[in-house]
Amino acid sequence: MTKRAAILVAVGAAVAGLVTAVPSAASAGAETSAPGAPRLKWTDCATSSYPTMQCAKVRSPLDHDRPSGRQVSLALSRIPHTAATSQGPLLVNPGGPGGSGLSMAGFVASALPAKLAAQYDVIGFDPRGVGKSSPALNCRPKHFDPVRPDSVPRSYQDERALRARAAAFADACGEKHGDLLPYMDTVSAARDLDVIRAALGARRISYFGYSYGTYLGAVYAKLFPERVRRLVLDSVVDPTGVWYDDNLRQDYAFDSRHKAFAAWVAKHHTTYRLGKDPAKVEAAWYAMREAVRKRPVDGTVGGSELEDTFMPGGYYNGYWPYLAEAFAAYVRDRDEDALVTAYENFGATGAGAGNSYSVYTAVQCRDAGWPRDWNTWRADTATVHAKAPFMAWNNTWYNAPCASWPVEPLNPVRVGNHRIPPALLFQATDDAATPFEGAVSMHRELRGSALVVEQGGGNHGVTLSGSTCLDAYLVDYLKDGTVPRGRGGRVDAVCEALADPKPLPAEKALRNTDGAVDGSGGKVLHGLLGFRG
């Protein structure tokens, strides 16, 4: 057990069953009436999974300081309430920045208990620049086409080539979207949320965000505290590290999760036959990486692509059995097809990747300052790589366009807030994408908030993923505003982590199913959350 885990166990033992309830709205009308607000035109956009989904669009100022100037279009989705009494809109966001949230409305509405979901209009949205909102960014569509230069530079020439590649992406963004980039930031996106609120005819909104969506929600609450009814933040961004420091902390956490994956493979030696020693299994993975670096598999999977393939395992351990199948097949049998299939399912970029990465860089590079002296990036990455090599350099190059971004950065928002109703935060102790201390920091910034911890959990996005304990707190909060209250310590409630997955049955091996995953809530959610953001 880690020192951090031991502390949390002790805290968990002291957590009391005491809860505090926030009064509900006096009536449905108190939450859903906003005289004079424009009416949205909702049209049917049902899918087989979400047969009651509706879609609409709303216009919002590109520059909120010039409301009558150029407008952008924001795509919305809705699962309308069906109960006699409505609790108003619940806006949901999967993170990113750059993640599309249209399908998120259907997922959340279907994952919540039917009686509770029926009380809300669950609203999904594509933030500015994303997906079906317009204009949509796509700076350099083939930026991630394989085989990319290896992420770990072995010479000054390697590093120069990688820096030039990152700078080329920044230049392309400036050339194609220079008129949009000054307005691609979290504050602008948060002000868009208030445009959506007004268009919905609501005086207040409830908000449920994952990952980067937690920061977006906290910024909205800072700008418009009187318009927040309930605020759920799952897998919480550290608001004090936006964004350079947060990425460095990710590197260490992802390396820890990769070691946890190696330990899981070692535990199941009878299935994968890669050894019972986690260190030797990890060494076998790095030997595989070196092999594909020297000779990319099928001209497709080199070292960088292999990192991309296994990185999703750091977000969600439900992918471990599929990744382990490919790992073992390549190491034991030199089965290159299995490795290519794994890349195609977990590492390859899809049709919307150019858009999502373009928005990711645009927002993160604009939100806050990044080092302009490349020596800082090099020194910091070398320090991390020496201790946590799994994705240190890969993550550096992912963010390196910010070293030469064509738009000056803003000052990050200080989200400290004592003017909103109690927020509810969820966090796994071993989350890699948003490390645990970030949730503690946000908990401290949002006075009156409650923090529910999944002890020993390592997944990113923990509610509506199969934990009855975590979901019970979420349901109580969305039902009537109830939050848990612990007696001292940094957390208010502790839930046990879900069990790690089991190896796949032979008939469901990755190479035989094209990496198909079942429709469990966890896998559906993590498909919506995506990776990196």
Side-chain angles (χ1 to χ4, degrees), residues 423-453:
L424 183 59
L425 282 58
F426 293 93
Q427 184 68 38
T429 57
D430 299 327
D431 182 352
T434 53
F436 174 76
E437 292 300 330
V440 174
S441 178
M442 185 73 83
H443 183 28
R444 187 166 52 243
E445 294 289 333
L446 303 182
R447 187 179 301 178
S449 62
L451 175 58
V452 180
V453 166

PDB file of all heavy atoms in Angstrom, residues 423-453:
ATOM      1  N   ALA A 423     -20.788  21.754  -4.031  1.00  0.00           N
ATOM      2  CA  ALA A 423     -20.494  20.919  -5.197  1.00  0.00           C
ATOM      3  C   ALA A 423     -20.115  19.524  -4.730  1.00  0.00           C
ATOM      4  O   ALA A 423     -19.686  19.326  -3.582  1.00  0.00           O
ATOM      5  CB  ALA A 423     -19.361  21.535  -6.002  1.00  0.00           C
ATOM      6  N   LEU A 424     -20.253  18.548  -5.630  1.00  0.00           N
ATOM      7  CA  LEU A 424     -19.900  17.164  -5.315  1.00  0.00           C
ATOM      8  C   LEU A 424     -18.796  16.711  -6.249  1.00  0.00           C
ATOM      9  O   LEU A 424     -18.958  16.734  -7.478  1.00  0.00           O
ATOM     10  CB  LEU A 424     -21.127  16.255  -5.457  1.00  0.00           C
ATOM     11  CG  LEU A 424     -20.931  14.786  -5.079  1.00  0.00           C
ATOM     12  CD1 LEU A 424     -20.476  14.638  -3.627  1.00  0.00           C
ATOM     13  CD2 LEU A 424     -22.219  13.997  -5.306  1.00  0.00           C
ATOM     14  N   LEU A 425     -17.667  16.289  -5.684  1.00  0.00           N
ATOM     15  CA  LEU A 425     -16.480  15.889  -6.435  1.00  0.00           C
ATOM     16  C   LEU A 425     -16.253  14.397  -6.267  1.00  0.00           C
ATOM     17  O   LEU A 425     -16.414  13.849  -5.153  1.00  0.00           O
ATOM     18  CB  LEU A 425     -15.239  16.646  -5.951  1.00  0.00           C
ATOM     19  CG  LEU A 425     -15.028  18.099  -6.400  1.00  0.00           C
ATOM     20  CD1 LEU A 425     -16.197  19.000  -6.009  1.00  0.00           C
ATOM     21  CD2 LEU A 425     -13.737  18.643  -5.794  1.00  0.00           C
ATOM     22  N   PHE A 426     -15.829  13.729  -7.360  1.00  0.00           N
ATOM     23  CA  PHE A 426     -15.486  12.307  -7.339  1.00  0.00           C
ATOM     24  C   PHE A 426     -14.069  12.132  -7.871  1.00  0.00           C
ATOM     25  O   PHE A 426     -13.692  12.756  -8.863  1.00  0.00           O
ATOM     26  CB  PHE A 426     -16.455  11.501  -8.211  1.00  0.00           C
ATOM     27  CG  PHE A 426     -17.860  11.445  -7.696  1.00  0.00           C
ATOM     28  CD1 PHE A 426     -18.810  12.371  -8.113  1.00  0.00           C
ATOM     29  CD2 PHE A 426     -18.244  10.477  -6.788  1.00  0.00           C
ATOM     30  CE1 PHE A 426     -20.115  12.329  -7.649  1.00  0.00           C
ATOM     31  CE2 PHE A 426     -19.551  10.419  -6.310  1.00  0.00           C
ATOM     32  CZ  PHE A 426     -20.493  11.353  -6.739  1.00  0.00           C
ATOM     33  N   GLN A 427     -13.316  11.232  -7.226  1.00  0.00           N
ATOM     34  CA  GLN A 427     -11.929  11.045  -7.653  1.00  0.00           C
ATOM     35  C   GLN A 427     -11.417   9.664  -7.266  1.00  0.00           C
ATOM     36  O   GLN A 427     -11.595   9.223  -6.129  1.00  0.00           O
ATOM     37  CB  GLN A 427     -11.029  12.099  -7.005  1.00  0.00           C
ATOM     38  CG  GLN A 427      -9.587  12.061  -7.451  1.00  0.00           C
ATOM     39  CD  GLN A 427      -9.416  12.464  -8.912  1.00  0.00           C
ATOM     40  OE1 GLN A 427     -10.112  13.365  -9.387  1.00  0.00           O
ATOM     41  NE2 GLN A 427      -8.511  11.822  -9.618  1.00  0.00           N
ATOM     42  N   ALA A 428     -10.763   8.987  -8.209  1.00  0.00           N
ATOM     43  CA  ALA A 428     -10.039   7.757  -7.906  1.00  0.00           C
ATOM     44  C   ALA A 428      -8.642   8.118  -7.412  1.00  0.00           C
ATOM     45  O   ALA A 428      -8.011   9.044  -7.930  1.00  0.00           O
ATOM     46  CB  ALA A 428      -9.950   6.863  -9.134  1.00  0.00           C
ATOM     47  N   THR A 429      -8.146   7.384  -6.424  1.00  0.00           N
ATOM     48  CA  THR A 429      -6.859   7.738  -5.824  1.00  0.00           C
ATOM     49  C   THR A 429      -5.693   7.584  -6.778  1.00  0.00           C
ATOM     50  O   THR A 429      -4.697   8.299  -6.665  1.00  0.00           O
ATOM     51  CB  THR A 429      -6.589   6.880  -4.578  1.00  0.00           C
ATOM     52  OG1 THR A 429      -6.634   5.488  -4.938  1.00  0.00           O
ATOM     53  CG2 THR A 429      -7.597   7.162  -3.478  1.00  0.00           C
ATOM     54  N   ASP A 430      -5.808   6.656  -7.753  1.00  0.00           N
ATOM     55  CA  ASP A 430      -4.686   6.375  -8.648  1.00  0.00           C
ATOM     56  C   ASP A 430      -4.968   6.777 -10.092  1.00  0.00           C
ATOM     57  O   ASP A 430      -4.340   6.257 -11.021  1.00  0.00           O
ATOM     58  CB  ASP A 430      -4.322   4.891  -8.578  1.00  0.00           C
ATOM     59  CG  ASP A 430      -3.893   4.472  -7.169  1.00  0.00           C
ATOM     60  OD1 ASP A 430      -3.301   5.304  -6.462  1.00  0.00           O
ATOM     61  OD2 ASP A 430      -4.186   3.332  -6.777  1.00  0.00           O
ATOM     62  N   ASP A 431      -5.884   7.705 -10.282  1.00  0.00           N
ATOM     63  CA  ASP A 431      -6.185   8.237 -11.610  1.00  0.00           C
ATOM     64  C   ASP A 431      -4.917   8.853 -12.196  1.00  0.00           C
ATOM     65  O   ASP A 431      -4.218   9.618 -11.539  1.00  0.00           O
ATOM     66  CB  ASP A 431      -7.285   9.288 -11.461  1.00  0.00           C
ATOM     67  CG  ASP A 431      -7.749   9.895 -12.775  1.00  0.00           C
ATOM     68  OD1 ASP A 431      -7.134   9.625 -13.820  1.00  0.00           O
ATOM     69  OD2 ASP A 431      -8.722  10.659 -12.749  1.00  0.00           O
ATOM     70  N   ALA A 432      -4.633   8.518 -13.457  1.00  0.00           N
ATOM     71  CA  ALA A 432      -3.421   9.033 -14.105  1.00  0.00           C
ATOM     72  C   ALA A 432      -3.657  10.368 -14.797  1.00  0.00           C
ATOM     73  O   ALA A 432      -2.816  11.257 -14.744  1.00  0.00           O
ATOM     74  CB  ALA A 432      -2.892   8.007 -15.111  1.00  0.00           C
ATOM     75  N   ALA A 433      -4.789  10.513 -15.480  1.00  0.00           N
ATOM     76  CA  ALA A 433      -5.018  11.719 -16.266  1.00  0.00           C
ATOM     77  C   ALA A 433      -5.247  12.944 -15.403  1.00  0.00           C
ATOM     78  O   ALA A 433      -4.836  14.055 -15.752  1.00  0.00           O
ATOM     79  CB  ALA A 433      -6.207  11.508 -17.207  1.00  0.00           C
ATOM     80  N   THR A 434      -5.925  12.758 -14.279  1.00  0.00           N
ATOM     81  CA  THR A 434      -6.110  13.840 -13.308  1.00  0.00           C
ATOM     82  C   THR A 434      -5.705  13.306 -11.936  1.00  0.00           C
ATOM     83  O   THR A 434      -6.532  12.768 -11.204  1.00  0.00           O
ATOM     84  CB  THR A 434      -7.574  14.342 -13.284  1.00  0.00           C
ATOM     85  OG1 THR A 434      -8.451  13.224 -13.089  1.00  0.00           O
ATOM     86  CG2 THR A 434      -7.930  15.052 -14.570  1.00  0.00           C
ATOM     87  N   PRO A 435      -4.427  13.417 -11.587  1.00  0.00           N
ATOM     88  CA  PRO A 435      -3.946  12.837 -10.337  1.00  0.00           C
ATOM     89  C   PRO A 435      -4.696  13.342  -9.107  1.00  0.00           C
ATOM     90  O   PRO A 435      -5.237  14.458  -9.090  1.00  0.00           O
ATOM     91  CB  PRO A 435      -2.473  13.254 -10.309  1.00  0.00           C
ATOM     92  CG  PRO A 435      -2.112  13.410 -11.756  1.00  0.00           C
ATOM     93  CD  PRO A 435      -3.340  13.970 -12.399  1.00  0.00           C
ATOM     94  N   PHE A 436      -4.703  12.519  -8.084  1.00  0.00           N
ATOM     95  CA  PHE A 436      -5.533  12.700  -6.897  1.00  0.00           C
ATOM     96  C   PHE A 436      -5.398  14.074  -6.245  1.00  0.00           C
ATOM     97  O   PHE A 436      -6.394  14.679  -5.824  1.00  0.00           O
ATOM     98  CB  PHE A 436      -5.194  11.606  -5.871  1.00  0.00           C
ATOM     99  CG  PHE A 436      -5.884  11.769  -4.548  1.00  0.00           C
ATOM    100  CD1 PHE A 436      -7.220  11.453  -4.407  1.00  0.00           C
ATOM    101  CD2 PHE A 436      -5.199  12.256  -3.437  1.00  0.00           C
ATOM    102  CE1 PHE A 436      -7.864  11.622  -3.192  1.00  0.00           C
ATOM    103  CE2 PHE A 436      -5.829  12.418  -2.227  1.00  0.00           C
ATOM    104  CZ  PHE A 436      -7.172  12.096  -2.099  1.00  0.00           C
ATOM    105  N   GLU A 437      -4.191  14.588  -6.153  1.00  0.00           N
ATOM    106  CA  GLU A 437      -4.000  15.856  -5.454  1.00  0.00           C
ATOM    107  C   GLU A 437      -4.765  16.993  -6.123  1.00  0.00           C
ATOM    108  O   GLU A 437      -5.098  17.991  -5.470  1.00  0.00           O
ATOM    109  CB  GLU A 437      -2.507  16.202  -5.380  1.00  0.00           C
ATOM    110  CG  GLU A 437      -1.709  15.257  -4.486  1.00  0.00           C
ATOM    111  CD  GLU A 437      -2.206  15.243  -3.043  1.00  0.00           C
ATOM    112  OE1 GLU A 437      -2.720  16.282  -2.581  1.00  0.00           O
ATOM    113  OE2 GLU A 437      -2.089  14.197  -2.380  1.00  0.00           O
ATOM    114  N   GLY A 438      -5.062  16.859  -7.413  1.00  0.00           N
ATOM    115  CA  GLY A 438      -5.844  17.884  -8.085  1.00  0.00           C
ATOM    116  C   GLY A 438      -7.250  17.992  -7.515  1.00  0.00           C
ATOM    117  O   GLY A 438      -7.793  19.097  -7.378  1.00  0.00           O
ATOM    118  N   ALA A 439      -7.858  16.839  -7.188  1.00  0.00           N
ATOM    119  CA  ALA A 439      -9.195  16.856  -6.588  1.00  0.00           C
ATOM    120  C   ALA A 439      -9.154  17.483  -5.208  1.00  0.00           C
ATOM    121  O   ALA A 439     -10.068  18.219  -4.818  1.00  0.00           O
ATOM    122  CB  ALA A 439      -9.748  15.434  -6.517  1.00  0.00           C
ATOM    123  N   VAL A 440      -8.101  17.181  -4.458  1.00  0.00           N
ATOM    124  CA  VAL A 440      -7.949  17.798  -3.138  1.00  0.00           C
ATOM    125  C   VAL A 440      -7.846  19.316  -3.278  1.00  0.00           C
ATOM    126  O   VAL A 440      -8.441  20.078  -2.504  1.00  0.00           O
ATOM    127  CB  VAL A 440      -6.718  17.228  -2.413  1.00  0.00           C
ATOM    128  CG1 VAL A 440      -6.459  17.963  -1.101  1.00  0.00           C
ATOM    129  CG2 VAL A 440      -6.889  15.728  -2.171  1.00  0.00           C
ATOM    130  N   SER A 441      -7.103  19.764  -4.271  1.00  0.00           N
ATOM    131  CA  SER A 441      -6.948  21.192  -4.510  1.00  0.00           C
ATOM    132  C   SER A 441      -8.284  21.836  -4.879  1.00  0.00           C
ATOM    133  O   SER A 441      -8.644  22.897  -4.347  1.00  0.00           O
ATOM    134  CB  SER A 441      -5.916  21.423  -5.616  1.00  0.00           C
ATOM    135  OG  SER A 441      -5.775  22.795  -5.904  1.00  0.00           O
ATOM    136  N   MET A 442      -9.032  21.212  -5.796  1.00  0.00           N
ATOM    137  CA  MET A 442     -10.333  21.764  -6.187  1.00  0.00           C
ATOM    138  C   MET A 442     -11.297  21.764  -5.004  1.00  0.00           C
ATOM    139  O   MET A 442     -12.068  22.724  -4.812  1.00  0.00           O
ATOM    140  CB  MET A 442     -10.912  20.968  -7.348  1.00  0.00           C
ATOM    141  CG  MET A 442     -12.220  21.533  -7.904  1.00  0.00           C
ATOM    142  SD  MET A 442     -12.011  23.056  -8.870  1.00  0.00           S
ATOM    143  CE  MET A 442     -11.549  22.353 -10.468  1.00  0.00           C
ATOM    144  N   HIS A 443     -11.263  20.701  -4.216  1.00  0.00           N
ATOM    145  CA  HIS A 443     -12.103  20.595  -3.017  1.00  0.00           C
ATOM    146  C   HIS A 443     -11.840  21.777  -2.079  1.00  0.00           C
ATOM    147  O   HIS A 443     -12.763  22.368  -1.508  1.00  0.00           O
ATOM    148  CB  HIS A 443     -11.784  19.263  -2.328  1.00  0.00           C
ATOM    149  CG  HIS A 443     -12.597  18.960  -1.120  1.00  0.00           C
ATOM    150  ND1 HIS A 443     -13.873  19.422  -0.918  1.00  0.00           N
ATOM    151  CD2 HIS A 443     -12.296  18.218  -0.016  1.00  0.00           C
ATOM    152  CE1 HIS A 443     -14.337  18.965   0.241  1.00  0.00           C
ATOM    153  NE2 HIS A 443     -13.389  18.245   0.795  1.00  0.00           N
ATOM    154  N   ARG A 444     -10.590  22.125  -1.963  1.00  0.00           N
ATOM    155  CA  ARG A 444     -10.199  23.250  -1.114  1.00  0.00           C
ATOM    156  C   ARG A 444     -10.680  24.581  -1.708  1.00  0.00           C
ATOM    157  O   ARG A 444     -11.078  25.494  -0.980  1.00  0.00           O
ATOM    158  CB  ARG A 444      -8.684  23.247  -0.942  1.00  0.00           C
ATOM    159  CG  ARG A 444      -8.140  24.254   0.037  1.00  0.00           C
ATOM    160  CD  ARG A 444      -6.690  23.941   0.390  1.00  0.00           C
ATOM    161  NE  ARG A 444      -5.853  23.773  -0.785  1.00  0.00           N
ATOM    162  CZ  ARG A 444      -5.225  22.646  -1.108  1.00  0.00           C
ATOM    163  NH1 ARG A 444      -5.355  21.568  -0.346  1.00  0.00           N
ATOM    164  NH2 ARG A 444      -4.478  22.582  -2.194  1.00  0.00           N
ATOM    165  N   GLU A 445     -10.641  24.689  -3.039  1.00  0.00           N
ATOM    166  CA  GLU A 445     -11.027  25.942  -3.690  1.00  0.00           C
ATOM    167  C   GLU A 445     -12.539  26.184  -3.647  1.00  0.00           C
ATOM    168  O   GLU A 445     -12.977  27.340  -3.574  1.00  0.00           O
ATOM    169  CB  GLU A 445     -10.562  25.936  -5.151  1.00  0.00           C
ATOM    170  CG  GLU A 445      -9.049  25.934  -5.341  1.00  0.00           C
ATOM    171  CD  GLU A 445      -8.420  27.260  -4.968  1.00  0.00           C
ATOM    172  OE1 GLU A 445      -9.109  28.290  -5.066  1.00  0.00           O
ATOM    173  OE2 GLU A 445      -7.253  27.266  -4.553  1.00  0.00           O
ATOM    174  N   LEU A 446     -13.318  25.119  -3.714  1.00  0.00           N
ATOM    175  CA  LEU A 446     -14.777  25.246  -3.736  1.00  0.00           C
ATOM    176  C   LEU A 446     -15.302  25.034  -2.325  1.00  0.00           C
ATOM    177  O   LEU A 446     -15.529  23.902  -1.881  1.00  0.00           O
ATOM    178  CB  LEU A 446     -15.397  24.238  -4.707  1.00  0.00           C
ATOM    179  CG  LEU A 446     -14.902  24.307  -6.159  1.00  0.00           C
ATOM    180  CD1 LEU A 446     -15.638  23.297  -7.027  1.00  0.00           C
ATOM    181  CD2 LEU A 446     -15.046  25.711  -6.734  1.00  0.00           C
ATOM    182  N   ARG A 447     -15.474  26.126  -1.609  1.00  0.00           N
ATOM    183  CA  ARG A 447     -15.886  26.041  -0.206  1.00  0.00           C
ATOM    184  C   ARG A 447     -17.243  25.354  -0.091  1.00  0.00           C
ATOM    185  O   ARG A 447     -18.169  25.641  -0.852  1.00  0.00           O
ATOM    186  CB  ARG A 447     -15.969  27.440   0.407  1.00  0.00           C
ATOM    187  CG  ARG A 447     -16.221  27.432   1.922  1.00  0.00           C
ATOM    188  CD  ARG A 447     -16.278  28.837   2.470  1.00  0.00           C
ATOM    189  NE  ARG A 447     -15.046  29.575   2.212  1.00  0.00           N
ATOM    190  CZ  ARG A 447     -14.876  30.855   2.568  1.00  0.00           C
ATOM    191  NH1 ARG A 447     -15.874  31.522   3.146  1.00  0.00           N
ATOM    192  NH2 ARG A 447     -13.742  31.465   2.321  1.00  0.00           N
ATOM    193  N   GLY A 448     -17.324  24.424   0.849  1.00  0.00           N
ATOM    194  CA  GLY A 448     -18.574  23.699   1.050  1.00  0.00           C
ATOM    195  C   GLY A 448     -18.729  22.476   0.179  1.00  0.00           C
ATOM    196  O   GLY A 448     -19.725  21.752   0.298  1.00  0.00           O
ATOM    197  N   SER A 449     -17.756  22.233  -0.716  1.00  0.00           N
ATOM    198  CA  SER A 449     -17.852  21.058  -1.580  1.00  0.00           C
ATOM    199  C   SER A 449     -17.595  19.786  -0.786  1.00  0.00           C
ATOM    200  O   SER A 449     -17.038  19.818   0.321  1.00  0.00           O
ATOM    201  CB  SER A 449     -16.860  21.160  -2.737  1.00  0.00           C
ATOM    202  OG  SER A 449     -15.521  21.202  -2.257  1.00  0.00           O
ATOM    203  N   ALA A 450     -18.010  18.664  -1.354  1.00  0.00           N
ATOM    204  CA  ALA A 450     -17.768  17.350  -0.759  1.00  0.00           C
ATOM    205  C   ALA A 450     -16.968  16.508  -1.749  1.00  0.00           C
ATOM    206  O   ALA A 450     -17.228  16.542  -2.953  1.00  0.00           O
ATOM    207  CB  ALA A 450     -19.090  16.657  -0.423  1.00  0.00           C
ATOM    208  N   LEU A 451     -16.002  15.759  -1.224  1.00  0.00           N
ATOM    209  CA  LEU A 451     -15.134  14.923  -2.054  1.00  0.00           C
ATOM    210  C   LEU A 451     -15.353  13.457  -1.724  1.00  0.00           C
ATOM    211  O   LEU A 451     -15.158  13.030  -0.580  1.00  0.00           O
ATOM    212  CB  LEU A 451     -13.663  15.296  -1.830  1.00  0.00           C
ATOM    213  CG  LEU A 451     -12.611  14.441  -2.537  1.00  0.00           C
ATOM    214  CD1 LEU A 451     -12.816  14.436  -4.040  1.00  0.00           C
ATOM    215  CD2 LEU A 451     -11.198  14.924  -2.181  1.00  0.00           C
ATOM    216  N   VAL A 452     -15.767  12.700  -2.733  1.00  0.00           N
ATOM    217  CA  VAL A 452     -15.954  11.257  -2.606  1.00  0.00           C
ATOM    218  C   VAL A 452     -14.822  10.566  -3.349  1.00  0.00           C
ATOM    219  O   VAL A 452     -14.587  10.844  -4.531  1.00  0.00           O
ATOM    220  CB  VAL A 452     -17.320  10.819  -3.180  1.00  0.00           C
ATOM    221  CG1 VAL A 452     -17.497   9.305  -3.042  1.00  0.00           C
ATOM    222  CG2 VAL A 452     -18.455  11.551  -2.476  1.00  0.00           C
ATOM    223  N   VAL A 453     -14.137   9.676  -2.658  1.00  0.00           N
ATOM    224  CA  VAL A 453     -12.925   9.057  -3.190  1.00  0.00           C
ATOM    225  C   VAL A 453     -13.143   7.571  -3.459  1.00  0.00           C
ATOM    226  O   VAL A 453     -13.740   6.867  -2.632  1.00  0.00           O
ATOM    227  CB  VAL A 453     -11.756   9.266  -2.204  1.00  0.00           C
ATOM    228  CG1 VAL A 453     -10.582   8.358  -2.543  1.00  0.00           C
ATOM    229  CG2 VAL A 453     -11.323  10.723  -2.211  1.00  0.00           C
TER     230      VAL A 453
END
